[in-house]
């Protein structure tokens, strides 16, 4: 492990004991913290409950999209006029049962800084529209499409 700055926490994968389970140990000033990470057995609703939840997700999302459509259009135009590049920020996430999907958000950073988008505070957005989009959570609205596609849930 490389040396960390004073007060920083380093994490090292120490032991894999089963499918997806791991023990992680990280040095913290003055003590060692250990945590066991294991996949949970909770898979969410099943049967009719899963169907009802899915129908509710789709209906609510479609109604929300209709209600926020003007905000989506204005935000998209604002991002496009603020800087060159795509309007949407895409990031691969891991969903239920370990399935990978592409999560969508309005881009709040220039294309060359897009990797930093998730780790910086709201006030650090360099695009003119970015700060407003993040403060109002309008940058999250494209995720409604992920919900309609069944990759995320409300």
């Amino acid at each position: 492990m490389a040396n960390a700055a004073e007060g920083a926490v380093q994490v090292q994968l120490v032991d894999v004991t089963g499918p997806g389970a791991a023990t992680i140990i990280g040095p913290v000033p003055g003590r060692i913290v250990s945590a066991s990470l294991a996949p949970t057995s909770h898979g969410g609703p099943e049967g009719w409950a899963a169907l009802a939840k899915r129908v509710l997700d789709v209906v609510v999302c479609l109604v929300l999209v209709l209600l926020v459509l003007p905000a989506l259009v204005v935000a998209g135009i604002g991002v496009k006029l603020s800087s060159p590049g795509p309007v949407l920020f895409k990031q691969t996430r891991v969903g239920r049962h370990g399935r990978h999907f592409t999560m969508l958000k309005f881009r709040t950073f220039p294309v060359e800084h897009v990797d930093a988008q998730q780790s910086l505070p709201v006030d650090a957005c360099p695009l003119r529209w970015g700060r407003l989009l993040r403060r109002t959570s309008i940058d999250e609205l494209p995720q409604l499409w992920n919900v309609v596609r069944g990759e995320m849930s409300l």
Side-chain angles (χ1 to χ4, degrees):
M1 248 184 329
N3 289 337
E6 182 71 23
V9 175
Q10 287 182 320
V11 177
Q12 177 184 10
L13 185 60
V14 177
D15 179 38
V16 176
T17 57
T23 300
I24 295 179
I25 297 177
V28 176
R31 61 186 166 152
I32 294 180
V33 175
S34 175
S36 178
L37 303 176
T40 61
S41 60
H42 184 280
E46 295 180 17
W48 287 105
L51 178 62
K53 181 167 179 39
R54 180 76 186 117
V55 169
L56 183 68
D57 279 350
V58 171
V59 170
V60 169
C61 276
L62 292 176
V63 169
L64 282 174
V65 165
L66 290 175
L67 291 174
V68 299
L69 191 58
L72 290 169
V73 171
V74 170
I77 292 170
V79 170
K80 194 62 176 173
L81 294 176
S82 292
S83 80
V87 172
L88 295 176
F89 167 73
K90 299 176 183 179
Q91 186 177 50
T92 301
R93 295 283 177 99
V94 179
R96 190 168 176 212
H97 303 298
R99 292 187 185 122
H100 289 77
F101 69 96
T102 302
M103 181 206 61
L104 304 172
K105 291 177 77 169
F106 282 117
R107 189 170 51 86
T108 58
F109 283 82
V111 175
E112 61 271 10
H113 296 126
V114 83
D115 289 337
Q117 183 165 357
Q118 294 298 318
S119 60
L120 294 175
V122 171
D123 293 337
C125 299
L127 288 185
R128 276 181 263 153
W129 284 83
R131 197 168 290 120
L132 174 67
L133 293 178
R134 287 187 122 192
R135 280 190 182 148
T136 58
S137 296
I138 292 173
D139 66 323
E140 308 281 347
L141 291 177
Q143 292 176 28
L144 292 172
W145 179 246
N146 292 115
V147 176
V148 170
R149 291 183 56 177
E151 298 164 333
M152 295 174 72
S153 179
L154 295 175

